[in-house]
Amino acid sequence: MTDQPVFRPFLMAALVSTLALFSTAARADDTAFGLSPEQPARLRAEKNDAAIAAISPDFKFVTPGKFTVAVSPGGPPLATYATDAKTVVGADPDYASAIADSLGLELELLPVAWIDWPLGLTSRKYDAVISNVGVTEQRKEKFDFSTYRQGLHGFFVKSGSPITAIKEPKDAAGLRFIVGAGTNQERILLRWSDEDVAAGLKPLELQYYDDEAASLLAVSSGRADVIVQPHAQLVFIAARDHNIKRVGTLSAGWPDRSDVAIATKKDSGLADALTIATNGLITSGVYGRILDHWHLSEEALPQSETNPPGLPRS
């Protein structure tokens, strides 16, 4: 996530209000997610000696014996407040817990406003940020990254729609898309539309709405064919409302892959250890089970990398 428009697909809070989250929490509990503060389904991981050995001798945890992680509770299934309105739960907290286990540490989660994480990380208020942060070349100047998910947008249509798959520009020709103005999704869809026109196909029609409710109503009523938003958010809505379905995903870095990563302070000496820990979770299967529990298996990475190529400067 970022305050720059081109990277707005990572900003979950911009599309889901806090009040809406609380009002839908009980309904969400009827799905496979489960938003209770106890999180009985949370997976634990074994200690990873190789990851521990990779921590720089110069690195000092904010609190000895604890892995202090900042997370922004911007929306389910990534991170949100539980039904007690104070405990942060979701895929990112579960992943943070598994990383803490791997390092032999106790997890301490700190809820923060998403816009505040860079300053908090550079000022050593926490050891790491695990909050759907996308890797960008600009951010790599100040932070190190250990990847743990793909950054995806989702193509969702109403249940019963004749549209079954959207994988490339030609699949989108002539369709009516709901997309956020100034977002990375919009930029990509405009390029798709140009490609379709150049190939003699119909252009895409982009529609813009002021809020999520109006967008979903437009899809369900047939005024629009497809809604494009951050994949994780639409996964939750589909599980909650049962009236939209996924017909494809789109990399935030299209045509290249764009990854989500743990952010740590530049050259702090922790990033390689977190990458090793993540790869250990992938090998053990814990990683896959966490993503599957939160309906995010499409976002799985084959392996974690330290500081891979990121989205270019806008």
Side-chain angles (χ1 to χ4, degrees), residues 92-287:
D92 280 346
D94 277 10
Y95 173 69
S97 174
I99 290 291
D101 287 344
S102 299
L103 300 180
L105 300 170
E106 177 185 348
L107 176 64
E108 182 173 359
L109 273 182
L110 296 181
V112 301
W114 200 90
I115 198 171
D116 293 336
W117 73 258
L119 180 59
L121 191 54
T122 55
S123 61
R124 295 282 294 137
K125 291 184 178 180
Y126 23 85
D127 303 309
V129 177
I130 300 180
S131 195
N132 203 44
V133 178
V135 182
T136 74
E137 289 304 309
Q138 183 174 357
R139 288 177 180 155
K140 283 165 63 178
E141 295 175 2
K142 294 184 178 181
F143 307 104
D144 286 327
F145 292 98
S146 303
T147 59
Y148 69 99
R149 280 201 341 267
Q150 293 185 64
L152 295 181
H153 309 314
F155 293 122
F156 280 66
V157 300
K158 70 176 180 180
S159 299
S161 168
I163 300 169
T164 58
I166 299 176
K167 298 180 180 179
E168 54 186 325
K170 68 180 181 63
D171 300 329
L175 297 180
R176 299 165 296 172
F177 286 82
I178 295 175
V179 67
T183 62
N184 197 38
Q185 303 100 291
E186 180 192 39
R187 177 185 64 82
I188 295 170
L189 290 181
L190 288 172
R191 289 178 60 187
W192 278 31
S193 187
D194 289 343
E195 288 192 17
D196 283 340
V197 171
L201 301 173
K202 291 182 179 180
L204 280 61
E205 177 186 318
L206 304 189
Q207 300 181 9
Y208 305 91
Y209 292 86
D210 293 333
D211 57 52
E212 178 186 284
S215 298
L216 294 171
L217 180 60
V219 172
S220 63
S221 65
R223 295 197 302 272
D225 301 306
V226 188
I227 185 169
V228 184
Q229 287 180 193
H231 174 254
Q233 181 185 358
L234 290 173
V235 163
F236 175 79
I237 293 170
R240 182 191 71 193
D241 297 343
H242 306 290
N243 60 3
I244 59 172
K245 64 178 181 179
R246 180 180 53 236
V247 293
T249 58
L250 173 69
S251 171
W254 182 90
D256 300 316
R257 195 179 78 193
S258 175
D259 292 342
V260 170
I262 309 173
T264 51
K265 189 175 181 180
K266 190 72 175 176
D267 298 324
S268 66
L270 187 59
D272 285 340
L274 299 177
T275 299
I276 293 170
T278 299
N279 283 323
L281 295 174
I282 292 172
T283 300
S284 71
V286 170
Y287 169 85

